[in-house]
């Protein structure tokens, strides 16, 4: 019975020519969901840009990166910013539509905000030794979980193929 | 007496909101000139994009990356693509204007094209144990150098501050 409940995480669909409308971009380290909490903790924490070309410098080497438009939740990330790639969106606890089975998603999270503080917030958690999962704050609290791996700040859906779909706005679930 | 001589490397000025007009971008590993040939050889060679979000995956971790519009010379790079950042443009052998002293530049090079083949081409070379340098093919041939660290495919100048300068086209020297 979660339909209609307020969800506090923006879900945006990337547009074709993803960064085409962005005046600035963000480059973030990526983990695959299957890399579990280990991957999440290993991804570089401190990344900054240097000089006039905006060269991205990380505190350590990392092999997987994504370029996103500097949407507000992304631009506001500090050292804890990280992206987890999921092969489909069934990991999201509010799924109601069939697209969740068919689309890959990126979950942008803040590792510096581990506390499960908001009922309607969403959090990355390790799935009992399995892949990473996204859980609602209320569900975690019910089971006594007070600390997560990070707060979800944004969910990114892939660009649609059809050009006539490109005018649709962000959908905030 | 090199003024007026044809230079075969495009020099482009990045615009403010660098990737604003790009429908696709390229993410390339960056070395600093001071890291010398060692840095150049250590930078990851194989980078590819994965999935609908264009996640950049490198064969190995690397801490320094730049996002550039996928200009033709950049998009055409294979596994040898690399960027060297120089604190000013005096390293360029055709300098004639004062901006060379004042502007940082990025030199995009192809490590898979080491052969010094074209007189008017430009090549990255190690500077006798010093920083990396850019040399003209003819100058290298005169001293018997047949192999470089890579062929220069593009020189990138930083964005100008003033908005009214933003309409200027690429300058091909």
């Amino acid at each position: 019975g979660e339909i209609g409940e307020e969800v506090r995480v923006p879900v945006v669909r990337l547009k074709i020519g993803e960064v085409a409308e962005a005046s600035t971009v963000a480059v973030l380290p990526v983990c695959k969901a299957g890399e579990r909490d280990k991957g999440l903790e290993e991804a570089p924490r401190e990344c900054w840009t240097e000089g006039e070309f905006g060269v991205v410098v990380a505190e350590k080497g990392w092999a997987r990166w994504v370029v996103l438009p500097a949407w507000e939740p992304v631009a506001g990330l500090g050292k804890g910013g990280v992206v987890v790639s999921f092969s489909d969106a069934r990991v999201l606890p509010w799924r109601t539509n069939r697209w969740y089975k068919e689309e890959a998603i990126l979950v942008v999270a803040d590792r510096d905000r581990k506390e499960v503080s908001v009922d309607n917030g969403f959090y990355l958690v390790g799935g009992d030794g399995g892949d990473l999962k996204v859980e609602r704050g209320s569900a975690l609290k019910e089971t006594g979980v007070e600390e997560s791996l990070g707060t979800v700040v944004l969910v990114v859906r892939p660009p649609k193929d059809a050009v006539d779909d490109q005018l649709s706005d962000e959908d905030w679930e």
Side-chain angles (χ1 to χ4, degrees), chain A:
Chain A
E2 288 175 351
I3 294 170
E5 190 175 350
E6 182 187 11
V7 175
R8 289 177 178 273
V9 173
V11 178
V12 298
R13 180 182 289 288
L14 209 53
K15 291 174 182 162
I16 287 178
E18 47 184 40
V19 290
E21 295 174 22
S23 57
T24 55
V25 295
V27 180
L28 290 166
V30 177
C31 302
K32 293 202 279 192
E35 293 174 301
R36 307 183 181 182
D37 46 350
K38 188 164 173 289
L40 204 64
E41 286 308 309
E42 282 182 354
R45 296 188 71 87
E46 293 190 57
C47 300
W48 59 95
T49 57
E50 251 182 34
E52 297 165 288
F53 297 103
V55 171
V56 177
V57 187
E59 40 128 1
K60 65 196 256 191
W62 193 249
R64 192 173 288 268
W65 298 87
V66 71
V67 183
L68 293 176
W71 291 308
E72 196 282 322
V74 175
L77 284 169
K79 295 174 182 177
V82 71
V83 171
V84 182
S85 64
F86 291 91
S87 56
D88 66 62
R90 279 176 289 187
V91 69
L92 298 176
W94 67 81
R95 59 184 180 274
T96 54
N97 298 318
R98 66 178 174 81
W99 71 261
Y100 287 93
K101 293 182 195 165
E102 295 164 0
E103 284 189 358
I105 53 163
L106 299 181
V107 171
V108 186
D110 186 350
R111 288 170 292 177
D112 284 343
R113 290 164 57 202
K114 292 193 193 310
E115 192 197 349
V116 179
S117 55
V118 182
D119 279 1
N120 275 332
F122 292 90
Y123 301 90
L124 274 177
V125 291
D128 301 324
D131 292 358
L132 294 172
K133 291 196 305 186
V134 175
E135 290 284 7
R136 192 183 294 268
S138 56
L140 292 172
K141 285 182 177 180
E142 280 167 20
T143 54
V145 177
E146 294 176 353
E147 189 174 289
S148 68
L149 299 171
T151 298
V152 176
V153 299
L154 184 71
V155 175
V156 187
R157 298 172 66 185
K160 282 185 185 168
D161 288 332
V163 172
D164 55 356
D165 284 328
Q166 292 303 305
L167 294 176
S168 67
D169 268 358
E170 302 174 0
D171 38 308
W172 294 65
E173 307 261 319

